[in-house]
Amino acid sequence: MKRLNSRLQQDGAPLELILLIRTLLAGCKEISFRVSQGALAGVLGSTLSENVQGETQKKLDVISNQILKDTLAESGYVKAISSEEEDDVVPCNPEGKYLVSFDPLDGSSNTEINSLIGTIFSITHAPQWMEPDDPSAFLQPGTQIVAAGYVLYGPSTMLAMTTGRGTHLYTLDKTHGGFLVTQANIQMPKDTAEFSINASNQRHWEAPIQNYVSDLIAGTEGPRQKDFNMRWVAAMVGDIHRVLCRGGIFAYPFDKRNPKMPGKLRLLYEANPMAFLVEQAGGAASTGHGRIMEVMPTEIHQRVPVIIGSENEVNTCLEYYQK
Ligand code: AHG
Ligand code: MN
Ligand code: MN
Ligand code: MN
């Protein structure tokens, strides 16, 4: 099985990017270890603090954030980072060539139930003009990302990553400590009979997505004339992993209860990296009104509605928005 280094070299990644990715993954391996220790390491439960998004931070949110922040800041490759758990951009090495945005722990509500969680990241070039504490340099559309992925802390620890030359799945070999390619160039099915959405919010959605989901649920008796199944892990990382592996459609739409929030998921460190991975695997990723990766960010914690998955099904969903 191919090792991470040789896969990245084959895909033409520059040495400094490879070294940065290895550093980032060293942090993820430490998170993986802490996660696997669970209550034995005292890492479960909540803190008394809130993040900038108004969510109560879990202990693992804070620990994972600290591990990644320290690892990346010490590496020298990174000019600045932005994180779900940091109000502002964190300056690192003024000479660093890259910017890293991450969700240190996705699916925090799953920590207490020993269910799927992960880390999501994206890497862009750091503009030379940028001061290390300047958030505006992070406001690049997803099309500028040079590498993105997630590490899934599941029954096995897996990495999905792309540098724009296909999406590859890796599995952490816990005996030797390296990520090995277990599926190169994954290609998702174009069609699917599986959808993933928090249906308890249905009454708060806008008409297009309400109608689309109603038609899925109507099955063979509705206009789709086909039965659909539903899955919801409550961690985007788990839901997108399933979608990458066997196809599907995942959506987190705008919710009328929060008119000021365009969606729940964050563009820089949730929607964009997943959109890049899925597009590179032959899928599609839209806000309902355009390609996620072309959204021009205005703020580091900006949220977007997301519709991600098998290409034909995403396009069918988008027809409801065009009606
Ligand atoms: P995070 O734990 O990083 O804050 O992200 C949680 C997100 C995402 O992973 C998941 O898809 C969604 O929240 C779950 O939302 P519901 O609470 O509506 O199930
Ligand atoms: Mn959170
Ligand atoms: Mn998240
Ligand atoms: Mn998170």
Side-chain angles (χ1 to χ4, degrees):
M1 266 176 271
K2 202 163 247 175
R3 302 185 71 84
L4 181 87
N5 261 28
S6 51
R7 182 71 238 187
L8 285 169
Q9 279 165 5
Q10 187 182 333
D11 289 346
L15 179 64
E16 206 153 331
L17 179 61
I18 297 179
L19 294 171
L20 162 55
I21 290 170
R22 287 176 57 103
T23 308
L24 172 70
L25 293 175
C28 293
K29 283 184 217 171
E30 191 176 336
I31 298 172
S32 170
F33 176 71
R34 301 280 191 103
V35 162
S36 69
Q37 296 282 88
L40 299 178
V43 296
L44 303 183
S46 296
T47 67
L48 295 175
S49 47
E50 266 193 6
N51 63 15
V52 68
Q53 348 251 343
E55 304 165 337
T56 301
Q57 290 177 305
K58 301 281 180 184
K59 283 187 198 165
L60 268 173
D61 287 321
V62 176
I63 293 167
S64 310
N65 184 57
Q66 196 66 46
I67 290 173
L68 292 179
K69 186 164 76 165
D70 292 348
T71 319
L72 292 171
E74 285 162 16
S75 74
Y77 308 120
V78 182
K79 195 160 190 174
I81 58 170
S82 71
S83 160
E84 181 195 342
E85 308 302 339
E86 296 286 340
D87 298 10
D88 302 307
V89 158
V90 179
C92 300
N93 176 7
E95 306 301 319
K97 287 205 179 112
Y98 294 100
L99 302 177
V100 185
S101 297
F102 54 86
D103 176 352
L105 198 85
D106 180 62
S108 316
S109 72
N110 280 351
T111 51
E112 264 94 305
I113 57 165
N114 196 26
S115 191
L116 289 181
I117 46 180
T119 297
I120 313 173
F121 60 89
S122 69
I123 303 171
T124 60
H125 289 291
Q128 278 192 331
W129 50 262
M130 159 195 190
E131 293 298 324
D133 60 352
D134 177 5
S136 69
F138 280 86
L139 308 181
Q140 307 183 35
T143 48
Q144 296 299 310
I145 294 172
V146 295
Y150 61 76
V151 177
L152 178 68
Y153 310 113
S156 55
T157 293
M158 291 191 72
L159 162 71
M161 189 166 54
T162 182
T163 56
R165 305 267 186 99
T167 291
H168 315 305
L169 294 182
Y170 303 76
T171 304
L172 178 61
D173 174 359
K174 289 191 178 164
T175 40
H176 299 103
F179 281 98
L180 302 177
V181 180
T182 39
Q183 245 182 303
N185 286 309
I186 50 169
Q187 280 297 311
M188 297 162 47
K190 298 282 177 200
D191 294 292
T192 182
E194 203 160 65
F195 69 101
S196 188
I197 194 162
N198 186 344
S200 68
N201 297 327
Q202 181 158 15
R203 66 194 183 284
H204 306 295
W205 301 332
E206 291 177 305
I209 193 81
Q210 288 236 20
N211 296 337
Y212 168 70
V213 171
S214 296
D215 288 352
L216 297 182
I217 293 171
T220 49
E221 286 146 45
R224 298 296 303 274
Q225 300 189 322
K226 175 177 164 184
D227 285 332
F228 285 81
N229 196 11
M230 201 200 84
R231 288 286 183 270
W232 187 250
V233 173
M236 185 190 204
V237 75
D239 283 309
I240 295 290
H241 186 67
R242 185 190 57 256
V243 164
L244 272 177
C245 290
R246 67 177 187 210
I249 182 165
F250 169 90
Y252 214 112
F254 168 75
D255 185 320
K256 283 184 264 181
R257 276 172 302 182
N258 302 303
K260 288 197 183 126
M261 263 171 39
K264 178 177 184 186
L265 299 174
R266 280 65 48 118
L267 177 61
L268 261 55
Y269 41 81
E270 290 177 319
N272 264 339
M274 295 312 201
F276 195 16
L277 288 167
V278 165
E279 284 192 6
Q280 285 290 315
S286 172
T287 62
H289 303 283
R291 192 174 162 222
I292 290 175
M293 290 184 69
E294 288 175 11
V295 174
M296 195 58 178
T298 53
E299 203 260 302
I300 57 170
H301 298 294
Q302 179 173 345
R303 301 175 192 249
V304 280
V306 305
I307 304 164
I308 302 185
S310 293
E311 190 180 22
N312 293 342
E313 194 54 43
V314 169
N315 287 336
T316 302
C317 177
L318 294 179
E319 284 169 18
Y320 287 73
Y321 282 84
Q322 286 143 16
K323 268 178 203 166

